[in-house]
């Protein structure tokens, strides 16, 4: 078993590091300009992004933001979201750990900072019948959401630990084929791929709608099963220019997180309502119920997991080394938590708290 500082937050793959995901930003701190006129928020239509789904569906963000206009944009995976953040097209995003760390390291700590956690758990490798052990994977094709996203890197790292070679351009002992999650489900159902390492609800959809079974639950690779799946990332310049707006966003975030944990019977309906608005189709009740049992909603970003994850990624040749000091700024989150009589979270020496 891996120790608690392990796979889930592994960094982006070598191909992405060479593709210019770094952000061109000034090292000069921005000046507080007061509340922003608009906040542009990115998120995915995944159960692991339930805080965003519920926050938007129940107007928790809009209520907290007051006169600041909220707009939102849907992404399918982290690398595309972080590209939008890096380009200044969005101001904040619910995102997986790997692209969050990648943009921070590539920019020398100037692009963005993690201001809160959102979800842990809810990622797994689902495979077809006939694959019962890691040794059965030789020659197979496995999918992930996008090249270099958190699950893509986690799969490649795990395969490396099992003795398999992979390539970011295809081939290897096991072929890793990144693609859209909905297309992955179709390919799996038709037998054109052998499995996929995905977040919820896609794990549950491959199991219940695709007839697959879980070969690796990522939680089993961590002590206590705790690993970050989703964090809230904010452009550093936006945080410096509009700290009051980020604080308001975090008030909405904490409200959404508290609501999710305090209203489990209603959570599924709210998540499904937003998914139907976004995609035109709600999840099947059994899929949503299974997915929700696999995900834990937690504002703690689990900062202590990130340094070992980076070290593992560097050893595997999937990331360049870098200083993670300053990756987290949870001071505004902690102010909201203390105001709500909730326990503050730790940056574990990697930023402001």
């Amino acid at each position: 078993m891996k120790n608690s500082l392990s796979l889930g937050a592994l960094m982006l793959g070598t191909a992405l590091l060479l593709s210019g995901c770094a952000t061109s930003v000034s090292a000069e701190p921005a000046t507080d300009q007061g509340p922003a006129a608009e906040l542009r928020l990115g998120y995915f239509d995944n159960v692991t992004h339930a805080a965003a789904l519920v926050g938007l569906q129940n107007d928790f963000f809009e209520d907290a933001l007051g006169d600041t206009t909220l707009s939102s944009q849907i992404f399918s995976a982290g690398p595309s979201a972080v590209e939008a953040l890096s380009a200044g097209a969005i101001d904040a995003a619910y995102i997986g750990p790997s692209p969050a760390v990648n943009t921070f390291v590539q920019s020398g700590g100037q692009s963005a900072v993690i201001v809160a956690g959102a979800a842990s758990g809810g990622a797994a490798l689902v495979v077809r019948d006939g694959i019962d052990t890691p040794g059965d994977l030789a020659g197979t094709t496995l999918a992930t959401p996008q090249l270099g996203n958190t699950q893509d890197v986690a799969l490649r790292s795990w395969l490396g630990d099992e003795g398999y070679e992979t390539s970011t351009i295809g081939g290897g002992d096991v072929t890793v084929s990144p693609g859209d999650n909905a297309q992955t489900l179709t390919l799996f159902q038709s037998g054109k791929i052998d499995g996929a390492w995905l977040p919820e609800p896609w794990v549950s959809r491959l199991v219940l709608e695709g007839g697959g079974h879980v070969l690796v639950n990522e939680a089993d690779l961590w002590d206590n099963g705790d690993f970050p799946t989703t964090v809230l990332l904010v452009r550093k310049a936006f945080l410096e220019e509009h700290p009051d707006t980020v604080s308001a966003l975090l008030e909405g975030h904490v409200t959404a997180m508290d609501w999710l944990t305090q209203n489990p019977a209603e959570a599924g309906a709210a998540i499904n309502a937003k998914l139907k608005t976004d995609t035109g189709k709600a999840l099947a009740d059994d899929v949503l119920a299974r997915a929700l049992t696999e995900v834990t909603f937690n504002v703690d970003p689990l900062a202590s997991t990130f340094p070992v994850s980076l070290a593992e990624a560097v050893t595997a040749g999937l990331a360049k080394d870098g200083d993670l000091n300053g990756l987290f700024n949870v001071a505004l989150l902690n102010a909201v938590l203390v105001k709500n009589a909730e326990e503050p979270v730790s940056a574990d020496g990697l930023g402001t708290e």
Side-chain angles (χ1 to χ4, degrees), residues 209-280:
E209 299 174 13
H213 63 275
V214 172
L215 182 66
V216 181
N217 186 331
E218 194 166 341
D220 294 337
L221 304 177
W222 296 73
D223 289 347
N224 301 318
D226 294 328
F227 67 101
T229 313
T230 309
V231 295
L232 181 55
L233 186 72
V234 175
R235 281 196 299 115
K236 188 174 182 179
F238 188 85
L239 173 60
E240 292 171 344
E241 293 168 358
H242 307 291
D244 290 346
T245 301
V246 175
S247 182
L249 172 65
L250 287 166
E251 288 182 10
H253 174 66
V254 170
T255 299
M257 296 288 280
D258 288 346
W259 188 89
L260 280 165
T261 57
Q262 295 167 10
N263 299 276
E266 302 172 46
I271 291 168
N272 244 349
K274 182 57 178 168
L275 291 176
K276 187 172 183 179
T277 298
D278 289 348
T279 68

Side-chain angles (χ1 to χ4, degrees), residues 2 133-135 137 155-165 173 215-216 221:
K2 294 285 185 180
T133 70
L137 291 172
L155 172 60
R156 294 174 191 275
S157 179
W158 178 80
L159 287 170
D161 289 344
E162 294 296 328
Y164 292 112
E165 291 186 3
D173 301 324
L215 182 66
V216 181
L221 304 177

Side-chain angles (χ1 to χ4, degrees), residues 183-232:
Q183 183 181 21
T184 291
L185 174 60
T186 300
L187 292 172
F188 186 71
Q189 290 171 321
S190 65
K192 293 181 179 178
I193 61 173
D194 302 291
W197 194 302
L198 300 172
E200 291 290 1
W202 298 100
V203 171
S204 293
R205 293 196 68 178
L206 261 67
V207 170
L208 297 174
E209 299 174 13
H213 63 275
V214 172
L215 182 66
V216 181
N217 186 331
E218 194 166 341
D220 294 337
L221 304 177
W222 296 73
D223 289 347
N224 301 318
D226 294 328
F227 67 101
T229 313
T230 309
V231 295
L232 181 55

Side-chain angles (χ1 to χ4, degrees), residues 13 44 64 85 118-119 130 146 195 201 206 226 267 273 278 289 300 312 315:
F44 311 166
L85 194 82
Q146 188 177 358
L206 261 67
D226 294 328
D278 289 348
D300 188 343
E312 290 185 353
T315 299

Side-chain angles (χ1 to χ4, degrees), residues 318-349:
L318 299 172
K320 73 172 188 178
D321 204 359
D323 185 359
L324 296 185
N325 186 40
L327 173 61
F328 297 90
N329 186 332
V330 293
L332 294 178
L333 171 65
N334 283 337
V336 173
L337 293 174
V338 169
K339 184 175 69 174
N340 292 355
E342 299 179 42
E343 288 294 319
V345 303
S346 173
D348 202 55

